[in-house]
Amino acid sequence: MQPKLRARLQAIIDALERGLVERRQSVRLCLLCALAGEHTLLVGPPGTAKSELARRLHTVFRDARYFERLLTRFSVPEELFGPLSIAALEQDRYERHTDGFLPDASIAFIDEVFKANSAILNALLTLLNEREFDNGAGRQHCPLISAVGATNEVPEDEVGEAFFDRFLVRLPVAAVSAASFGALLLVGSGREWAPPAPGLALDENDRSALARDAAAVEVSAALIAVLAELRQHFAAEQLYVSDRRWVKIVWLLRVAAATEGRSAVALWDLLLLPWLTAPDAKRQAAVADWLAARLGVREAYSPERLTRIVEAFEAQLDAELSANDLDYDESGRLNFSAAELAERVGDSKQGAAAPRMTYTRRRRYGETHIGARVGQIDAVLLRIADYAREIARHQDGLAAYRAQCLWLDDSLTERAAAVLTATAAAVASLAERTRSARAGFVGLPRLPVDNGVVPEPVAQELLVET
């Protein structure tokens, strides 16, 4: 990572957040999205600081040209792309003067973006994705770093959906909560806000260096496996995420890692995914729930799965402790002790029924049987111990991540930390139950001579490594 870039970004974030109430996460995601060269869509009612976010974002980039426009159903292409060139028309060329308009902008804010007609939206598709504008017979390169769109609602027509997919980050923006209403009234109009100091602004060299650092960031196989699992989850939930979006998501995660000086994308960077995958607040909350329950918790060793394994051993121990057995001598005859036989003969003399071959007692087990049970349960204990250490490593890693993370609100990482803490406690409890079951197997009544019988394994299908 470039020296001091992270400190600069932290100072920029502090400046951008100043005077905004309950917009901490929105500010950070807008900036991260811009650093990745992608676009943000703010979805929410009027008067929720959507345009203020875009105007502040513009101040982050040195010499950046800003363009802002409110669209209506009556908007015409000239409002966004510039007027036709009279001189070009005189030479039979259909070209526009784009200076000062969207094709010439570095940061753009387009309010009520979905109210534009299909002609405007189709032109915007190319401009946002390829950074090119069809101007006359040729294509004009556009210096656009990031566009911020705003809308009250997202239409469900084909053109609207294609345009919606161009915004990598979708941020629901709600009115300030009742708890923060007083703070909102005290911050003033925001006109007194001061942009980041000029020395903090990022130039083209900063962005190019960040892009080189991000390209070198590693994406591990384990992280790709989580993304693949999430993709399957989306398919089951009938939530479509395009291949193009998945590629851009990984690029943004690399940028996030590079800004914090990391050589690899962290597992916890995936907590950014709700805003990058799901289209609305409800489904983003569902993705957040899935991630909070999944990150750092391996399905093969989840508390629920481990509980089934431990319960299988406990049930087997109960069965073996309560099992009765006929006691035969070496000749195959039922073996009674002298006292037992005298008692039964006495009962017979007093008119009781003659002794029958129904005498049973607690089953006894050979050393081979007990050794096999203990060996199997020791293997489970080793796996539980390994998993407990893995969870502890995740807890340490998350604590370190939270200490230097620029992009995630504390509430999100706190939720993940709480899940890890609860998982660690559940695994510790299961380890204690497993040790208790082991002691029970060690204490099984023994045969005087080992019979060499090896028992069937307990819960074999549950112990397969996955």
Side-chain angles (χ1 to χ4, degrees):
M1 186 184 76
Q2 308 160 69
K4 301 182 179 179
L5 176 59
R6 186 191 179 283
R8 287 171 66 189
L9 289 174
Q10 184 63 69
I12 288 171
I13 290 170
D14 292 341
L16 294 179
E17 291 178 351
R18 195 172 300 123
L20 291 178
V21 179
E22 295 186 346
R23 295 294 177 264
R24 177 185 176 92
Q25 191 64 69
S26 299
V27 165
R28 292 173 182 235
L29 287 175
C30 281
L31 176 56
L32 176 59
C33 190
L35 293 175
E38 294 297 334
H39 313 298
T40 301
L41 181 66
L42 305 175
V43 183
T48 50
K50 297 191 293 294
S51 59
E52 181 67 17
L53 286 171
R55 292 168 191 150
R56 293 191 180 196
L57 180 65
H58 156 244
T59 66
V60 171
F61 301 97
R62 184 171 291 125
D63 301 324
R65 293 181 292 276
Y66 180 68
F67 177 83
E68 179 178 327
R69 191 69 78 238
L70 169 64
L71 299 184
T72 70
R73 56 180 177 166
F74 302 111
S75 295
V76 294
E78 283 76 11
E79 296 180 46
L80 285 168
F81 309 119
L84 291 173
S85 168
I86 302 302
L89 285 174
E90 291 175 347
Q91 300 176 25
D92 296 328
R93 299 199 314 272
Y94 190 87
E95 295 178 357
R96 295 185 182 277
H97 282 299
T98 58
D99 291 349
F101 289 87
L102 180 57
D104 189 46
S106 304
I107 299 293
F109 176 63
I110 309 173
D111 201 1
E112 296 300 342
V113 65
F114 288 101
K115 289 187 177 178
N117 57 49
S118 59
I120 291 177
L121 289 180
N122 283 325
L124 284 172
L125 286 174
T126 302
L127 195 153
L128 294 183
N129 206 49
E130 282 83 27
R131 302 302 201 277
E132 292 182 336
F133 173 64
D134 290 319
N135 195 4
R139 277 198 165 188
Q140 173 184 335
H141 174 71
C142 303
L144 186 66
I145 297 172
S146 182
V148 178
T151 184
N152 293 333
E153 58 183 0
V154 178
E156 296 183 355
D157 59 88
E158 183 176 346
V159 175
E161 288 181 1
F163 189 59
F164 184 55
D165 197 51
R166 292 302 193 273
F167 294 95
L168 182 58
V169 174
R170 291 102 165 234
L171 279 173
V173 182
V176 168
S177 68
S180 299
F181 182 66
L184 174 68
L185 298 181
L186 294 176
V187 297
S189 64
R191 295 173 183 171
E192 68 279 3
W193 176 78
L200 296 175
L202 305 174
D203 59 21
E204 179 63 31
N205 291 332
D206 294 320
R207 294 192 295 112
S208 296
L210 177 58
R212 288 194 298 271
D213 291 342
V217 168
E218 178 186 355
V219 182
S220 68
L223 191 136
I224 291 175
V226 176
L227 291 175
E229 186 180 347
L230 180 60
R231 186 172 186 243
Q232 292 179 342
H233 173 71
F234 285 159
E237 296 294 321
Q238 297 185 335
L239 176 59
Y240 175 70
V241 177
S242 67
D243 292 345
R244 173 180 58 220
R245 176 169 289 273
W246 282 115
V247 172
K248 291 185 174 184
I249 284 170
V250 172
W251 173 249
L252 183 140
L253 297 178
R254 281 179 156 145
V255 171
T259 59
E260 296 172 1
R262 292 184 275 115
S263 61
V265 176
L267 180 68
W268 311 108
D269 288 327
L270 299 185
L271 292 172
L272 292 164
L273 289 179
W275 298 285
L276 308 179
T277 55
D280 53 56
K282 182 179 179 180
R283 281 178 282 188
Q284 287 173 3
V287 175
D289 290 341
W290 188 92
L291 290 167
R294 176 67 179 82
L295 296 185
V297 180
R298 280 196 288 155
E299 182 64 24
Y301 295 117
S302 66
E304 294 79 8
R305 186 181 178 90
L306 284 175
T307 298
R308 294 196 300 272
I309 294 173
V310 174
E311 286 174 346
F313 275 102
E314 290 173 335
Q316 184 65 39
L317 176 61
D318 288 342
E320 294 186 6
L321 284 172
S322 60
N324 292 321
D325 212 354
L326 293 174
D327 185 21
Y328 295 95
D329 61 21
E330 293 181 0
S331 65
R333 294 180 179 180
L334 203 58
N335 187 15
F336 290 108
S337 69
E340 292 167 341
L341 186 57
E343 180 181 355
R344 289 185 172 242
V345 170
D347 288 341
S348 178
K349 288 181 178 180
Q350 295 172 12
R356 293 177 295 175
M357 302 299 185
T358 58
Y359 173 67
T360 60
R361 69 173 188 182
R362 289 182 60 194
R363 182 173 297 174
R364 293 181 292 174
Y365 302 89
E367 292 293 341
T368 299
H369 177 104
I370 293 172
R373 289 281 187 251
V374 171
Q376 192 181 15
I377 206 168
D378 280 346
V380 174
L381 280 168
L382 284 175
R383 294 185 184 186
I384 292 176
D386 287 343
Y387 187 38
R389 286 191 290 271
E390 180 181 326
I391 293 173
R393 288 194 299 271
H394 280 312
Q395 288 177 306
D396 292 342
L398 180 56
Y401 180 88
R402 294 178 68 185
Q404 51 83 51
C405 181
L406 289 170
W407 308 114
L408 285 169
D409 192 90
D410 288 343
S411 63
L412 296 170
T413 51
E414 283 173 3
R415 185 178 181 190
V419 170
L420 286 180
T421 299
T423 302
V427 170
S429 174
L430 290 169
E432 183 61 33
R433 287 173 60 182
T434 306
R435 286 190 289 269
S436 177
R438 184 188 189 279
F441 284 115
V442 170
L444 285 173
R446 282 170 165 75
L447 290 170
V449 178
D450 183 23
N451 58 11
V453 174
V454 179
E456 290 292 326
V458 174
Q460 188 171 10
E461 72 282 359
L462 295 174
L463 298 174
V464 175
E465 189 77 46
T466 58

